Amino acid sequence: MSTQLSEDADQESETERTETPGDRRRAAKGGNEPSKVQESTETDGETVRLKVFRYDPEVEGKMEPRFDEFHVPYEKGMTVLDALIYARDHFDTTLTFRHSCRQAICGSDALFINGTQRLGCQTQISDLKGTVRVEPLPHAEVVKDLVVDMEHFYDQMHSVEPYFQTSEKPSDELEEQRQSRENREKIKMSTRCIWCGACMSSCNIAAGDNQYLGPAALNKAFRFAMDDREGEEMHQHRYDILDQEHGVWRCQTQFSCTNVCPKDIPLTEHIQELKRSAVKNNLKFW
Ligand code: FES
């Protein structure tokens, strides 16, 4: 099921296409009454009201997308992920979402929280106002509840060959592949990517062009294209990958990826720098 949110989609004639679960989810976002309320024993002033997207295509009676409400006892320092875990453990064990490290490192709990892509484990409940609305990442197929299919995202990442490949080896076989301090500084921020997919989900261009490499893959391309240890041959190979129709030129500098990146990577700046280098790379002097 697609979570792609398109302004235009709402304007399409209903007679021209059949209603998808994604349409029903958008309709649910418009304010349908939640289907279920789980009350905790705490008073409202001490509880977090979670409104969580639910969908299970494999269970009869749960195939219709809906929102469930959970009232979770609030504790100082509680994150959205903590609240989801509480709701799952105390109210509904079928509530499904990904998480692992709980410290903004693994990137598995990127969610759409109160209308923005964020990591559940990095988002403090105290920083949110009112009801906390939790949905799966937009522009990705929903597998179940808050879990989306990341396959396409990983395919785009792998297409830029996100690993070090040098065509110039050190003369001594025991010698390390050394990098200058300045060069390390240049790529430092790009190495912080945790593959959470928040940037890709926020990108309107990626939403409309399934072949677009996307901000995360381009950031990864930047990390290696700017690494001066790979040598000329690999350098050219890197530019052949990113300087193509669905590559770096698709970016329209909207900064949505930069705004949602949980690791504060200047993704848009990196993409702009790749564009400038691609132009320089293509300059020919006669
Ligand atoms: Fe690993 Fe949030 S659980 S990044």
Side-chain angles (χ1 to χ4, degrees), residues 202-205 251-259 268 272:
S202 77
C203 177
N204 288 333
I205 314 303
C251 172
Q252 294 185 3
T253 331
Q254 295 180 354
F255 284 92
S256 55
C257 53
T258 302
N259 291 340
T268 314
Q272 297 318 299

Side-chain angles (χ1 to χ4, degrees), residues 156 209 211-214 218 242 244-250:
Q156 300 306 78
D209 177 2
Q211 294 179 64
Y212 173 44
L213 290 174
L218 286 172
L242 62 93
Q244 38 104 347
E245 187 184 353
H246 301 280
V248 71
W249 305 108
R250 273 280 191 268

Side-chain angles (χ1 to χ4, degrees), residues 38 61 73 85 89 112 192 241 245 264:
Q38 290 284 358
I85 290 171
D89 293 352
F112 200 52
R192 298 179 62 171
I241 294 172
E245 187 184 353
D264 298 325

Side-chain angles (χ1 to χ4, degrees), residues 81 98-110 119-122 194 196:
L81 178 60
R98 291 192 180 104
H99 66 95
S100 180
C101 69
R102 300 175 74 168
Q103 49 188 319
I105 288 174
C106 73
S108 61
D109 65 336
L119 295 180
C121 65
Q122 198 183 41
I194 55 174
C196 68

